[in-house]
Amino acid sequence: MTAAFARLWAEIAPIGLDPAGGYRRYALSDPELILRDWFRNQADRRDMTVTDDGNGNLFAWWGRQWAPGTVLTGSHFDSVPHGGGYDGPLGIVSAFLAVDRLRAAGVTPAKPIGVAAFVEEEGGRFGVPCLGSRLLTGAIDPDTAAALCDTDGVSFGEALGARPAGALPALASRVGAVVELHIEQGRALEVPVGVASAIWPHGRWRLDFTGHGDHAGTTRMADRHDPMLTFAYTVLAADDEARQAGALATIARVSVQPNATNAIPSLVRAWLDARAADPATMERLVEAIVKRAMDRAAHDRTELVVEPESASPEVTFDTALADRLSTLLGGVPVLPTGAGHDAGVLSAHVPTAMLFVRNPTGVSHSPAEHASDEDCAAGVEALATVLGELAA
Ligand code: HGY
Ligand code: MN
Ligand code: MN
Ligand code: MN
């Protein structure tokens, strides 16, 4: 399986390389459209029917699409900018190889197996993570999704070429189980394969720091209303509060207007990504960061508007299913993650599990993200075992 994995992986590895390193595979951008064609080709090679749910999610079917008892697997193609190559695509490549593995073993599943490619999981282009699985499950309104815009002002609806179809009727009665395989994005998995127990609650907030744009060479320090100052203080406050709370806070994706060497900005826009092991800690963390930022804005005579953009509630995966899969796979570890996934969205509607493949450094959302071919092959074997069991 290692050689088979390496061969198939080599087909997608060159697609969407970012000149600055890593990958830039924004949802519905050229590289991702090429990966979608690759997906259709893989399905064709396996006599699998391909359907689109009208939300931009693709599905390759072994068996009757969406028939009761369907077992869904797969993941996403899109990446963050300068992202790693495994986060997402590993789950899709592994799913096609798991189908091959089952067929080679003479298995004919009693229930349909659907390999999914969910759109905009990272939220890197349109700002809302897991957009495709949120649409499929009705967790976001199609018109709200359609109106989301990228930095060029292109809306999701325009990129999709239609108003998203929205929730698939009777999803819970059609889908019996979901299993998403994903590279692990922490440092806790020390064996090739693990099973997910939970996803930390997390969310995204847009921070707009506004002040008085002015000339850098003629405005006395005492006369300034500089939003960059409040922004800088907020970055430090977020770091400090997260460390105190044993939680995670990141401020990134910063834009400055005007962005000139010799002009004091009038607007600094940034995003806060906050995560914690439980909802109460996350709520306290965000409150503490926002309070300190607001106090600082008053001190700097600037303004701060905080806009919650997306919430990803705490996910506890189906414990019985997680334990069953861990046992099935020989007692592999069951562990939580701070990373969001489409499986997290789906778990609110159908029994859902995740398989993790070891990432020796734990580094992700970075060109350094890596998993060995041997561990990826072990992931395929595990996924085939799990799919064979759940679709029996
Ligand atoms: O942001 C996340 O946790 C995921 O990688 N979308
Ligand atoms: Mn990711
Ligand atoms: Mn991912
Ligand atoms: Mn001038």
Side-chain angles (χ1 to χ4, degrees), residues 156-242:
F156 177 68
E158 286 163 334
L160 191 63
R163 177 182 183 273
L168 181 79
L171 178 75
S173 60
R174 297 165 185 260
V175 180
V178 174
V179 185
E180 177 176 2
L181 180 143
H182 204 283
I183 186 171
E184 212 254 331
Q185 294 164 300
R187 291 151 177 75
L189 185 58
E190 294 176 350
V191 291
V193 176
V195 175
S197 57
I199 296 178
W200 278 21
H202 56 286
R204 297 181 184 187
W205 287 260
R206 198 184 74 229
L207 309 174
D208 280 350
F209 302 88
T210 52
H212 296 180
D214 212 330
H215 197 300
T218 56
T219 312
R220 295 185 318 146
M221 297 311 281
D223 297 337
R224 294 184 178 206
H225 302 237
D226 185 352
M228 189 63 93
L229 206 55
T230 317
F231 159 76
Y233 174 85
T234 303
V235 173
L236 296 174
D239 183 84
D240 179 44
E241 292 296 339

Side-chain angles (χ1 to χ4, degrees), residues 13-384:
I15 302 169
L17 285 169
D18 187 319
Y23 287 89
R24 181 180 291 264
R25 293 166 167 167
Y26 283 142
L28 301 172
S29 67
D30 290 347
E32 208 224 18
L33 295 176
I34 293 169
L35 287 166
R36 287 163 167 263
D37 286 343
W38 176 87
F39 180 94
R40 292 184 185 92
N41 180 267
Q42 291 303 311
D44 289 349
R45 283 191 208 173
R46 295 168 175 82
D47 293 327
M48 297 172 81
T49 312
V50 175
T51 64
D52 180 318
D53 67 348
N55 295 310
N57 302 314
L58 286 181
F59 300 88
W61 294 100
W62 182 11
R64 191 159 58 88
Q65 57 179 280
W66 300 116
T70 283
V71 178
L72 270 190
T73 184
S75 190
H76 61 95
F77 279 129
D78 68 304
S79 77
V80 298
H82 316 314
Y86 292 81
D87 174 349
L90 182 62
I92 296 173
V93 169
S94 301
F96 281 121
L97 287 171
V99 165
D100 297 344
R101 188 73 185 79
L102 288 170
R103 287 177 172 175
V107 170
T108 305
K111 298 165 187 158
I113 291 176
V115 175
F118 289 107
V119 72
E120 185 69 339
E121 188 276 347
E122 296 292 357
R125 181 176 178 188
F126 298 102
V128 172
C130 301
L131 186 60
S133 49
R134 289 177 199 247
L135 279 163
L136 177 69
T137 57
I140 189 168
D141 167 74
D143 292 321
T144 305
L148 295 169
C149 284
D150 65 14
T151 48
D152 296 327
V154 177
S155 73
F156 177 68
E158 286 163 334
L160 191 63
R163 177 182 183 273
L168 181 79
L171 178 75
S173 60
R174 297 165 185 260
V175 180
V178 174
V179 185
E180 177 176 2
L181 180 143
H182 204 283
I183 186 171
E184 212 254 331
Q185 294 164 300
R187 291 151 177 75
L189 185 58
E190 294 176 350
V191 291
V193 176
V195 175
S197 57
I199 296 178
W200 278 21
H202 56 286
R204 297 181 184 187
W205 287 260
R206 198 184 74 229
L207 309 174
D208 280 350
F209 302 88
T210 52
H212 296 180
D214 212 330
H215 197 300
T218 56
T219 312
R220 295 185 318 146
M221 297 311 281
D223 297 337
R224 294 184 178 206
H225 302 237
D226 185 352
M228 189 63 93
L229 206 55
T230 317
F231 159 76
Y233 174 85
T234 303
V235 173
L236 296 174
D239 183 84
D240 179 44
E241 292 296 339
R243 289 173 193 276
Q244 286 183 50
L248 304 171
T250 311
I251 292 184
R253 196 181 161 201
V254 186
S255 64
V256 181
Q257 291 173 23
N259 197 17
T261 310
N262 56 352
I264 301 164
S266 53
L267 168 67
V268 177
R269 171 166 287 178
W271 273 263
L272 166 66
D273 177 312
R275 312 196 187 203
D278 62 86
T281 302
M282 195 183 81
E283 207 171 309
R284 281 198 307 273
L285 169 67
V286 175
E287 272 171 19
I289 294 169
V290 171
K291 174 155 183 357
R292 286 179 62 175
M294 291 295 184
D295 291 349
R296 182 68 199 201
H299 170 272
D300 299 337
R301 296 175 299 174
T302 57
E303 303 282 327
L304 169 59
V305 172
V306 179
E307 188 66 41
E309 283 214 337
S310 73
S312 299
E314 180 178 33
V315 169
T316 302
F317 286 111
D318 183 314
T319 311
L321 180 59
D323 291 346
R324 180 178 159 204
L325 300 190
S326 168
T327 308
L328 180 68
L329 298 174
V332 299
V334 181
L335 64 161
T337 179
H341 299 283
D342 291 306
V345 175
L346 290 158
S347 70
H349 302 268
V350 292
T352 302
M354 288 193 76
L355 299 184
F356 288 140
V357 170
R358 176 169 50 186
N359 170 347
T361 65
V363 173
S364 183
H365 285 187
S366 154
E369 180 185 86
H370 183 76
S372 72
D373 286 352
E374 291 72 18
D375 283 355
C376 293
V380 172
E381 295 289 355
L383 184 60

